[in-house]
Structure formats: C-alpha cells, structure tokens
C-alpha cells in the first residue's frame, strides 16, 4: 500500500523564487516561512516548495513577503550549503498554491493549547 505525507502551509514567501528549466519543464522553487510568534525569529520554520509547470498567471504574484497557502506532498531532502556542509530538510512537491490577501487573515476563535509544551514549533 502506498502512503503519502500531505502538508498544508500558510505563511510568507521568503527570498525571490528561483525559476529553472529541467528536462524542458519550467520549475519554480521558493521558500515559505511559518511563524508561531511574529516577533520571535527563532520560532520561524522554513519549508522549500517546488512547483513543476506552475500556472503562468500565478508566477508574478509569488514574490517575497506574499502570504500564501501551499498544499502538497512532503519529501525529505539533503543538500549542501555554500560551505559544503550537508543539511537535511523538507521540500513540498506537487503543490497547490493559493496567494492570499491581508483580508484572509483571521484570528482564531479558539486558541489551541498543545498537550505537551514540546509539541510547539
């Protein structure tokens, strides 16, 4: 039986998305920041998103700071930084991307309390 890890991210795009050509297909790669506390950068978690053949009308709207909702499959990824140090991370592939506007941000009517403080990220 096959299984997948589907994830939904709601956050802001980091740096300018990178557009590439791979085997004749357009590939767009960008990062999404998830913040639990707006003024605490140590609480920020970054996820890479990789979109093959993204809709042309969507691409101009994917700019740094854009507020987005990304749903896709979560895959582990190993990469080397500029210094050659190997890191492990996550990449969201086969995403559905929606650019949100400021009006879509709503306060939660109920605050969720983690069962264990260690469950917070």
């Amino acid at each position: 039986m096959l299984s997948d890890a589907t994830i939904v991210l709601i956050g802001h795009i980091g740096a300018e998305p990178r557009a590439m050509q791979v085997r004749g297909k357009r590939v767009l790669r960008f990062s999404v920041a998830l913040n639990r506390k707006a003024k605490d950068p140590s609480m920020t978690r970054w996820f890479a998103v990789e979109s093959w053949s993204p809709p042309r009308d969507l691409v101009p709207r994917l700019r740094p700071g854009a507020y987005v909702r990304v749903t896709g499959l979560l895959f582990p990824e190993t990469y080397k930084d500029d210094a050659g140090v190997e890191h492990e991370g996550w990449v969201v592939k086969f995403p559905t991307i929606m650019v949100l506007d400021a009006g879509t941000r709503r306060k939660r009517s109920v605050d969720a309390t983690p069962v264990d403080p260690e469950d917070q990220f």
Side-chain angles (χ1 to χ4, degrees):
M1 174 186 274
L2 297 175
S3 60
D4 291 316
T6 301
I7 189 167
V8 176
L9 307 174
I10 299 176
H12 293 89
I13 292 180
E16 188 72 34
R18 292 180 302 150
M20 304 168 276
Q21 287 283 331
V22 179
R23 296 187 302 270
K25 302 274 187 184
R26 281 183 315 123
V27 179
L28 190 66
R29 188 163 171 117
F30 59 95
S31 59
V32 174
L34 305 183
N35 298 315
R36 296 293 283 195
K37 293 183 180 178
K39 297 185 183 201
D40 186 356
S42 69
M43 299 295 284
T44 302
R45 297 296 180 256
W46 292 93
F47 289 83
V49 177
E50 188 176 280
S51 179
W52 287 64
S53 301
R56 290 196 185 276
D57 63 327
L58 179 66
V59 174
R61 298 172 60 204
L62 299 177
R63 295 286 170 239
Y67 189 51
V68 294
R69 180 180 193 267
V70 176
T71 304
L73 299 180
L74 189 61
F75 289 86
E77 177 180 66
T78 304
Y79 62 95
K80 288 186 180 180
D81 63 18
D82 294 337
V85 177
E86 195 169 277
H87 298 274
E88 293 181 357
W90 298 95
V91 61
V92 179
K93 296 185 179 188
F94 315 109
T96 300
I97 304 165
M98 181 185 305
V99 178
L100 306 173
D101 62 16
T104 60
R105 294 186 207 183
R106 294 185 181 96
K107 290 185 177 180
R108 293 182 186 145
S109 57
V110 177
D111 288 330
T113 305
V115 175
D116 183 335
E118 296 298 316
D119 290 343
Q120 297 181 29
F121 66 88

